[in-house]
Amino acid sequence: MVRSVPRPLGELEDAVMTRVWKWNRPVTVREVLEDLQQERSIAYTTVMTVLDNLHQKGWVRRESEGRAYRYEAVSTRAAYAAALMNDAWSQSDNPAAALIAFFGMMSEEQQQALRDAIRIVQGPETAAPGPGSVPEGGGR
């Protein structure tokens, strides 16, 4: 798992990794190339170089298959996004203010996803009682 992110993925690296993450299986240079060519003109050697660079940086692992390689993501897109957020947050001199500003940028759906994530992380022991629940000690 990738724990720290020295820098965000470049535009082409991100385009390649998006496919590797989406397909969630070992992929070949040819598969990635053919999919990318639906959007842009790109050479086989360019995709091969990008995947090799991603391997060198630890984003993908590869296994030899004949004269080629199959590449597979080492981490998930969610873990990458979390590492980017953590990296950005850790650079703030006022983490609370940075979080408040970040929350202000979030859509209602993102805010709900955050509330759901906090509930999951906190677990049932710290969840607030729901309507109609009886407090410990009986309450009646």
Side-chain angles (χ1 to χ4, degrees):
M1 167 121 3
V2 176
R3 292 262 182 231
S4 65
V5 178
R7 65 174 183 77
L9 293 171
E11 187 263 331
L12 189 51
E13 290 173 328
D14 186 70
V16 169
M17 282 306 299
T18 293
R19 283 148 178 89
V20 174
W21 282 317
K22 182 175 77 173
W23 296 336
N24 197 27
R25 61 171 171 76
V27 301
T28 64
V29 172
R30 176 79 46 206
E31 290 173 308
V32 175
L33 171 72
E34 290 173 358
D35 201 61
L36 281 170
Q37 284 179 331
Q38 295 177 28
E39 299 172 1
R40 65 178 88 195
S41 177
I42 190 166
Y44 180 92
T45 53
T46 301
V47 177
M48 183 174 65
T49 299
V50 170
L51 279 163
D52 185 60
N53 290 343
L54 290 167
H55 175 256
Q56 298 298 322
K57 293 176 182 180
W59 288 103
V60 295
R61 66 176 69 88
R62 68 183 179 194
E63 288 191 24
S64 185
E65 184 176 276
R67 293 176 44 208
Y69 287 107
R70 283 203 173 268
Y71 296 86
E72 186 173 17
V74 170
S75 186
T76 64
R77 179 109 195 173
Y80 169 65
L84 285 177
M85 289 187 289
N86 185 58
D87 186 55
W89 189 42
S90 70
Q91 293 179 35
S92 173
D93 60 348
N94 188 339
L99 281 174
I100 291 167
F102 181 62
F103 294 157
M105 296 175 193
M106 297 172 92
S107 69
E108 185 56 43
E109 294 80 22
Q110 291 169 322
Q111 290 175 12
Q112 186 57 52
L114 178 61
R115 286 190 287 273
D116 293 344
I118 290 170
R119 277 193 291 275
I120 290 168
V121 169
Q122 288 179 336
E125 305 84 40
T126 58
S133 64
V134 177
E136 283 192 40
R140 286 192 183 161

